[in-house]
Structures are given as C-alpha cells and as structure tokens.
Amino acid sequence: MKYKSQKVAYWFFALSMLLLVLQLTYGFIMGFARIGMDGLHEFIPFNTARAVHTNLLVVWLLSGFMGAAYYIIPEEAQRELVNVKLAYVQLISLALVGVAAIVGYHFNWWEGRKFLEIPRQLDFLVVANVLLFLGLILVTLFKGKRRTTTALVLSMGLLFAALLYLPGMLPFDSQVMDSFFRWWVVHLWVEGVWELIMGGILSFLLIKLTGVDREVIEKWLYVIVGLTFLSGVLGTGHHYYYIGVNKIWLVVGGIFSALEPLAFLAMALFAVNMYRKGEKKHPNKLALFWTLGAAIVSFVGAGLLGFAHTLPQTNLYTHGTLVTAMHGHLAFWGAYAMIVLAIISYSLPNMTGRKLYLTARGRAAFWLSNIGMIGMTVAFGVAGVVQVYLERKFKMEFMEVQNEINIHFVVLIICASILTFGIALYIIDFIKHGRPTDEAIELNIQN
C-alpha cells in the first residue's frame, strides 16, 4: 500500500517551515524596534508586527500538526487517507486564508482582539477548512483496520481544538464577557487540547524510535490526558484575575495553575522512561533528540516557568510584563515547536529515502536553536524582573522603564540570531532531503 497522504504531509511541513521563517522575521522587526531601530515603523508599526508574529506562530504550528496527522493517522489506521485530493484543497485553502489575514493586518483589517485578530469574514473560512481536515482524518481513522490510543488521542486533541475555536467567534458588547470566552480559545488550546496533540505525536515517535511495546507507551497517554483535563480546564482561571469576574477565580486559578506542571512533568518522565526502556537502537538519533528535548524543555518552559508567575500572589506583580514573554517563548518552543520539528525529522528520511540525520548540520541545528531560545528566555526573564521592580516598586512610568531595559533586548537579539541560525540549518536539511518518492514511502511501509 502506498500512503499518498505522506506526500500531503510533506507539503504541510514545507508550509510550516515557510511560515516559521516569516515569524522569525517579524520577531526581529519587533526586537530592533525595542532598541530604537524602528526604520520600518511607517510600513510595519509595532502592533502590526506583534499581531503577525503571534498569529504566524499559531498557523505554522497548526500546519505542522496537520502534517503530522496526515502522516500518523493513515499509518496508525493502516489505510490510505479517504480522499487525498481534498487534502491538497485543504492545504491550498489554508495557505490562502493565512496570506489574506497577514496582508490584511498591514492594512488594519482585523478585530483588534489579542491573539484572535483574524477578521470575522476569515473566521468562517478557517472553520470550513478545519471541518474539511477533521472530516478527512476522522473518516480515515474510523474506516481503518485499527484504532490505536495514539491515533485517538491525537484526533481528540485536533477535534477539541476545532471546537474551542468557536467561543472566540461569539460577539459580545461587554469587554469582560469577551475576555472570558477569548481565553477559552487561547488558554484551552495551548494549555489544554494542544497538550493532547503533543501527547499523541510524542507517543507515536517513542513507539517508532525506542521499540518499547505500544501498550506500555499508550498507558502513559491516559495519565497525560487525565492530568491535562484535571489542571488545564480550571487552570484557565489564572487569566481571570483582573478582568472583572468573581473573586472565586483567584482561588480556582491559583490552585489549578499549581497543578498544571504535572501534565508536562508526566510527559517528561514518560519520554525519558521510554527512552531508557528502549531496546531498539534507531539510527535516527536526531529525531530522538528533538523528541526528548520537546518533553524536557516543555516541562521547564510551560510547567515550571508557567507556575512561577501564575499564582495570584506573584501575578499581581508580573501581570502584563516581560515575565510572561519569558514563559511564553520557552513554553511554545518546548511543547509545540520542538515536537513539530521532531515529527518532521523522523518522517522526512522515511518519505524521501535520504538519511541525512547523521550529519553535523542536523546536530548543530538542534543545539544552536535550543541554546538561542534558552538565551532569549533568560534575557526576557531578567528584563521582566527589572521591569516588575522598577514599575511596581519604584513606580516609574512604563516608557521610562523600557529605556532602562533596552540593553536586555540587545542580548535578546543576539540570542535570537543564534536561534535563527539553528533554524536556518534545519531548513537547509529539509531542502536537501528533497521531495518524497513512492519508492521510499513503499520501502518504509514494508519495514
């Protein structure tokens, strides 16, 4: 059997790499603007650059998740995708909607709601696109020869992500109500159902890379799912401290935010234990690096750094400061960016037949990008702590404080350059793998 869906997955991965390059570009525009080098302000003001930067993050990760699903679900279900041509239609339409949104932001065509800036007209096209994607994935899964826990958890995460997009489309006259439901999308994606997607991809990779029995690995998935729903849903409360809702959310948000690191701790322990138990010496060490790295870095970035500033007593001071950027950058990198890069690193050699995972370039890409991101996290953290102290303790004006912490953004740009160099090496590897071939895909299926 030839899984033509794997070729679809390749093009989704290619789209995600292109969007990642654009996201990094807009990040540099913001970084240079923060140190006074704002020559592009007339064309790309800071608020536009920020909206594009954050939205591109979401779209390139979603493209990666969709590519992962098109690669994993047919293989787990042991049948071809129900309609490969429609998958290409979904890919093209997703790219077109993304282009329309990004261009629109430069002409002030947006809703102005943080993280959900996409215009309402495009919202409906996004829903139609995701419905098509889910239809293809779910029908393939339920028509397949088997339904594994790995495939079900991945599909459940994707389905819930689609459903939780809908509250963000509800119109409200009240700013409080709008903020309340906006976090159903933002928080319950990144600290809820996206963790299920990560868990599904992580499980698939560990099964393939370690050789540990599927039943052993998939039992861990139940623990991860349980902890995700236990902590993630009510953990939304840490976004409700200061938006005008009942004070009970200070208690609920504080307690369940303290539990949120448990899901990421479970993933880290899960990955490391499976690696230690593994008897299979898979040659693709690069994919294993990215897989274990995702589990460990996500625990630090999303778990520990998230916990460090979401307790009400701490958040009273850190709310709205660069401490949030510290947590956000390492959390997204570890939990979601690295797992997308892991599935790409695993699948590319299988689809193209070119075993480039032994090159020094691939290892350099891994280490440089991680060193760069850790450096950025430290720069954001130091700048954030200084900002908190000067604003909250010394009562200095916001813009005066920004001038005081400019030097930290110089460090940030240097570290971002290291990250970008690592990503550039990764993309060079991606290009050198070439396109998928029927022969390589067939050979991989037989093995």
Side-chain angles (χ1 to χ4, degrees):
M1 180 186 293
K2 294 180 180 179
Y3 292 134
K4 294 181 180 178
S5 55
Q6 293 193 358
K7 292 185 178 181
V8 180
Y10 171 84
W11 288 110
F12 269 94
F13 292 149
L15 175 63
S16 71
M17 292 296 96
L18 174 61
L19 295 174
L20 172 56
V21 171
L22 289 174
Q23 192 220 356
L24 290 171
T25 301
Y26 278 86
F28 275 108
I29 291 173
M30 293 168 64
F32 282 112
R34 291 298 293 259
I35 61 173
M37 299 173 67
D38 199 10
L40 293 175
H41 181 79
E42 292 298 321
F43 309 100
I44 310 175
F46 189 87
N47 64 315
T48 300
R50 184 181 186 277
V52 174
H53 182 68
T54 54
N55 280 255
L56 281 173
L57 169 66
V58 173
V59 179
W60 91 254
L61 290 176
L62 284 176
S63 300
F65 291 159
M66 289 174 175
Y70 280 130
Y71 186 90
I72 294 171
I73 297 299
E75 185 165 331
E76 289 288 290
Q78 294 183 343
R79 68 150 292 152
E80 179 58 280
L81 195 70
V82 289
N83 195 315
V84 175
K85 290 182 179 179
L86 281 179
Y88 280 112
V89 171
Q90 190 249 321
L91 167 65
I92 295 168
S93 60
L94 177 68
L96 291 176
V97 170
V99 169
I102 298 307
V103 172
Y105 293 165
H106 291 78
F107 295 94
N108 289 323
W109 184 42
W110 49 19
E111 288 199 344
R113 301 161 69 222
K114 191 167 63 173
F115 307 126
L116 299 177
E117 288 93 347
I118 186 168
R120 183 53 51 92
Q121 298 91 326
L122 296 182
D123 268 334
F124 295 106
L125 295 178
V126 170
V127 170
N129 183 277
V130 173
L131 286 175
L132 174 58
F133 165 71
L134 286 173
L136 292 170
I137 291 299
L138 295 177
V139 173
T140 299
L141 179 60
F142 286 98
K143 282 189 174 183
K145 295 179 181 179
R146 63 176 185 176
R147 299 170 195 167
T148 65
T149 302
T150 295
L152 288 170
V153 169
L154 176 58
S155 301
M156 182 169 66
L158 292 164
L159 175 61
F160 286 167
L163 292 175
L164 285 168
Y165 186 76
L166 299 178
M169 296 175 63
L170 298 174
F172 293 104
D173 293 328
S174 165
Q175 180 66 49
V176 174
M177 290 295 291
D178 183 77
S179 294
F180 188 90
F181 285 102
R182 183 171 65 86
W183 287 113
W184 281 31
V185 184
V186 179
H187 172 91
L188 290 177
W189 266 19
V190 301
E191 296 175 67
V193 295
W194 277 24
E195 291 178 34
L196 303 185
I197 298 171
M198 178 191 177
I201 299 173
L202 187 63
S203 172
F204 175 81
L205 288 169
L206 289 172
I207 289 169
K208 298 295 184 181
L209 294 170
T210 66
V212 175
D213 187 70
R214 177 181 290 273
E215 289 185 6
V216 176
I217 288 179
E218 291 186 336
K219 283 179 182 177
W220 274 88
L221 272 182
Y222 293 113
V223 176
I224 291 168
V225 170
L227 289 172
T228 296
F229 281 106
L230 170 67
S231 61
V233 174
L234 291 176
T236 312
H238 66 240
H239 296 288
Y240 293 164
Y241 294 161
Y242 317 114
I243 67 170
V245 297
N246 195 290
K247 290 182 180 179
I248 188 64
W249 287 107
L250 287 169
V251 178
V252 173
I255 292 173
F256 286 92
S257 293
L259 297 175
E260 282 193 58
L262 293 179
F264 288 102
L265 175 61
M267 285 195 204
L269 293 175
F270 164 49
V272 173
N273 284 339
M274 294 308 106
Y275 170 67
R276 287 179 174 174
K277 287 183 179 181
E279 298 177 357
K280 183 179 180 180
K281 300 299 181 184
H282 198 285
N284 193 341
K285 298 297 183 186
L286 193 58
L288 188 62
F289 283 1
W290 285 109
T291 302
L292 294 176
I296 294 168
V297 176
S298 67
F299 171 60
V300 177
L304 293 181
L305 294 184
F307 171 73
H309 84 114
T310 52
L311 292 177
Q313 298 88 336
T314 306
N315 196 258
L316 178 66
Y317 295 96
T318 62
H319 189 83
T321 69
L322 291 166
V323 172
T324 304
M326 168 197 72
H327 156 61
H329 278 75
L330 195 62
F332 269 101
W333 172 252
Y336 306 122
M338 289 184 73
I339 202 66
V340 169
L341 298 177
I343 187 64
I344 294 174
S345 295
Y346 171 77
S347 61
L348 269 184
N350 298 336
M351 293 188 289
T352 64
R354 297 175 180 86
K355 314 298 183 184
L356 299 183
Y357 41 71
L358 299 176
T359 64
R361 183 174 53 242
R363 292 192 295 274
F366 174 82
W367 289 111
L368 286 173
S369 57
N370 275 283
I371 290 169
M373 180 54 73
I374 291 169
M376 289 175 63
T377 303
V378 173
F380 273 126
V382 174
V385 170
V386 173
Q387 182 185 10
V388 169
Y389 200 77
L390 295 181
E391 287 185 12
R392 300 332 191 219
K393 290 294 185 181
F394 282 116
K395 310 298 181 184
M396 289 176 62
E397 293 293 333
F398 176 82
M399 290 308 299
E400 290 180 25
V401 174
Q402 299 310 302
N403 290 331
E404 295 294 329
I405 61 177
N406 266 356
I407 184 60
H408 300 296
F409 283 93
V410 175
V411 176
L412 180 75
I413 291 171
I414 294 171
C415 294
S417 300
I418 298 172
L419 165 74
T420 303
F421 186 58
I423 294 298
L425 293 177
Y426 187 96
I427 293 174
I428 290 170
D429 252 8
F430 185 97
I431 295 170
K432 284 186 174 293
H433 271 95
R435 296 185 184 181
T437 64
D438 290 336
E439 295 77 12
I441 293 171
E442 187 71 25
L443 181 62
N444 178 58
I445 294 168
Q446 291 173 359
N447 293 335

